[in-house]
């Protein structure tokens, strides 16, 4: 029991210091479960813990950490801004500028080539180029037709010739 109290106190001190780290309590006692969850513990597991259960909890936490790190950094005027990949709906070329349209209906204008923008998104399978001047985030695709992609924000984008098959293949590969 003393160790349980020490663990609760340690996590309490971490939270008081502003630390939002992930925490899993492994214990023999149910006595401090409510306190643990009031401190935003990810899990409170009773010993003995089945390996599958522990791995499931760890997978969930690692997935959340991985998702937090999925961003691109772009230079806008005199500052660098981080954009979460999940927040990007689509990108569109306008002359020598690239516009990144976000889930909050805002857009960011970048002075760079479409090729450079596309290279920035290479690590992310959900970001796909669908034409000379357009890139789309598959997570925001609501439907596909031969010539049109409908996004979850209501926007409809025209597909260039041959882009439908590439987009359909990428969509199936990601969500298949």
């Amino acid at each position: 029991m003393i160790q349980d109290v020490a663990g609760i106190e340690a996590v309490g001190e971490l939270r008081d210091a502003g630390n939002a780290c992930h925490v899993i309590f492994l214990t023999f006692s149910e006595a401090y479960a409510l306190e643990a969850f009031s401190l935003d513990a990810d899990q409170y597991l009773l010993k003995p813990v089945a390996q599958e259960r522990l791995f499931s909890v760890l997978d969930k936490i690692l997935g959340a950490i991985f998702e937090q790190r999925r961003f691109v950094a772009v230079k806008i005027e005199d500052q660098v801004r981080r954009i979460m990949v999940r927040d990007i709906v689509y990108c569109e070329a306008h002359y020598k500028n690239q516009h990144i349209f976000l889930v909050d209906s805002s857009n960011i204008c970048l002075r760079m080539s479409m090729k450079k923008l596309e290279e920035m998104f290479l690590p992310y399978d959900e970001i796909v180029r669908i034409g000379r001047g357009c890139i789309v985030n598959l997570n925001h695709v609501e439907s596909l037709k031969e010539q049109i992609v409908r996004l979850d924000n209501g926007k409809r984008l025209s597909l260039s010739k041959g882009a439908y098959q590439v987009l359909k293949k990428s969509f199936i590969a990601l969500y298949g």
Side-chain angles (χ1 to χ4, degrees), residues 29-71:
S29 172
E30 296 176 5
Y32 297 97
L34 290 177
E35 286 180 71
F37 287 115
S38 74
L39 294 170
D40 292 325
D42 291 278
Q43 199 57 253
Y44 192 91
L45 301 174
L46 295 176
K47 295 177 184 176
V49 178
Q51 181 178 355
E52 301 82 33
R53 178 72 178 129
L54 180 60
F55 286 175
S56 172
V57 170
L58 291 173
D59 284 345
K60 184 178 176 182
I61 292 170
L62 289 173
I65 291 168
F66 178 71
E67 185 60 34
Q68 290 170 347
R69 294 189 178 161
R70 294 175 49 87
F71 66 87

Side-chain angles (χ1 to χ4, degrees), residues 114-133:
M114 178 59 81
K115 182 171 176 51
K116 184 79 172 162
L117 185 64
E118 184 179 26
E119 288 171 0
M120 225 173 33
F121 294 130
L122 281 176
Y124 309 104
D125 292 338
E126 67 268 34
I127 307 292
V128 178
R129 189 165 181 173
I130 62 168
R132 276 186 49 150

Side-chain angles (χ1 to χ4, degrees), residues 72 81 83-94 97-110 114 117 121 127 133-137 140 151-153 155-157:
V72 292
R81 179 170 171 193
I83 304 169
M84 302 304 292
V85 172
R86 68 174 176 257
D87 293 340
I88 297 168
V89 179
Y90 72 102
C91 307
E92 204 167 46
H94 291 277
N97 296 319
Q98 308 307 316
H99 291 266
I100 300 175
F101 294 88
L102 305 172
V103 293
D104 66 1
S105 299
S106 66
N107 79 75
I108 297 167
C109 180
L110 302 175
M114 178 59 81
L117 185 64
F121 294 130
I127 307 292
C134 194
I135 293 173
V136 69
N137 184 336
H140 295 284
L151 303 174
D152 58 8
N153 66 357
K155 178 75 174 174
R156 295 173 188 258
L157 302 172

Side-chain angles (χ1 to χ4, degrees), residues 128-172:
V128 178
R129 189 165 181 173
I130 62 168
R132 276 186 49 150
C134 194
I135 293 173
V136 69
N137 184 336
L138 294 176
N139 291 322
H140 295 284
V141 171
E142 201 169 85
S143 66
L144 301 172
K145 283 190 177 179
E146 291 283 332
Q147 300 276 292
I148 302 287
V149 174
R150 195 172 81 206
L151 303 174
D152 58 8
N153 66 357
K155 178 75 174 174
R156 295 173 188 258
L157 302 172
S158 297
L159 290 171
S160 64
K161 194 170 188 113
Y164 173 75
Q165 291 302 326
V166 172
L167 185 58
K168 182 179 169 185
K169 183 179 176 183
S170 297
F171 195 81
I172 290 170

